[in-house]
C-alpha cells in the first residue's frame, strides 16, 4: 500500500517542483533579463534602420527643395510673360515708327530730286 502513497507524495513533490520552476521562469527579473537580451539583439538592426531613414529623409528634403525651387522659377517665368508682352508691343511700335521715318525720309529725298530735273544743275 505504500506504493500508491509514495506515488502520491512523488506526484505532489513533482507538482510543487514544476510550479516552483514555472514561477521562477516567469519571475520579473527573468522577464527583464529576457527583455534586455531581446533589446541587445535587436538594437543594432534598429539603429541601422534609423540611420537609413535619416539618410532617406535628407535625400527627400533635398528633392523637395529642388522641386519647390523649380516650381518657383516656373511661376516667375509665367508672371514675367506680362513684361515680355509689353516688350513685344513696344518693339512692334518702334519698328512701325522706324518704317514711318524711313518712308518719310524716302519721300523727302524724292521730292527735291523732282524739283531739280537731271541735267539742269
Amino acid at each position: 500500500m505504500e506504493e500508491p502513497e509514495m506515488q502520491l507524495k512523488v506526484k505532489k513533490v513533482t507538482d510543487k517542483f514544476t510550479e516552483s520552476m514555472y514561477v521562477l521562469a516567469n519571475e520579473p527579473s527573468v522577464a527583464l533579463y529576457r527583455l534586455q537580451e531581446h533589446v541587445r539583439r535587436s538594437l543594432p538592426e534598429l539603429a541601422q534602420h534609423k540611420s537609413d531613414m535619416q539618410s532617406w529623409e535628407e535625400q527627400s528634403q533635398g528633392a523637395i527643395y529642388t522641386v519647390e525651387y523649380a516650381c518657383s522659377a516656373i511661376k516667375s517665368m509665367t508672371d514675367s510673360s506680362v513684361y515680355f508682352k509689353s516688350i513685344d508691343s513696344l518693339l512692334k511700335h518702334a519698328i512701325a515708327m522706324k518704317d514711318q521715318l524711313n518712308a518719310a525720309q524716302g519721300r523727302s529725298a524724292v521730292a527735291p530730286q523732282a524739283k531739280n530735273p537731271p541735267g539742269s544743275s
Side-chain angles (χ1 to χ4, degrees):
M1 274 218 184
E2 289 193 25
E3 184 73 31
E5 193 175 310
M6 184 65 137
Q7 284 181 349
L8 184 61
K9 286 183 180 179
V10 168
K11 177 150 177 41
K12 283 184 180 180
V13 169
T14 56
D15 286 347
K16 286 286 186 188
F17 182 74
T18 303
E19 182 182 338
S20 296
M21 290 304 289
Y22 180 79
V23 168
L24 185 64
N26 291 306
E27 183 183 0
S29 62
V30 174
L32 291 174
Y33 172 77
R34 289 182 179 161
L35 183 62
Q36 178 187 10
E37 284 297 306
H38 172 71
V39 168
R40 185 183 61 77
R41 280 187 304 244
S42 11
L43 190 63
E45 185 178 344
L46 289 173
Q48 183 61 44
H49 283 306
K50 180 183 177 186
S51 174
D52 292 344
M53 292 299 287
Q54 285 173 333
S55 173
W56 293 338
E57 180 186 16
E58 289 171 8
Q59 290 175 358
S60 298
Q61 289 296 333
I64 290 169
Y65 175 78
T66 301
V67 168
E68 286 176 348
Y69 184 76
C71 289
S72 171
I74 289 170
K75 184 176 181 335
S76 296
M77 290 171 68
T78 56
D79 290 346
S80 66
S81 69
V82 173
Y83 301 110
F84 284 117
K85 288 176 183 174
S86 174
I87 290 169
D88 182 52
S89 171
L90 290 171
L91 285 172
K92 286 179 180 177
H93 184 68
I95 290 171
M97 298 225 11
K98 176 67 174 157
D99 289 343
Q100 286 178 353
L101 285 173
N102 286 343
Q105 285 178 351
R107 280 182 291 201
S108 67
V110 170
Q113 289 177 358
K115 290 179 185 176
N116 298 327
S120 65
S121 346

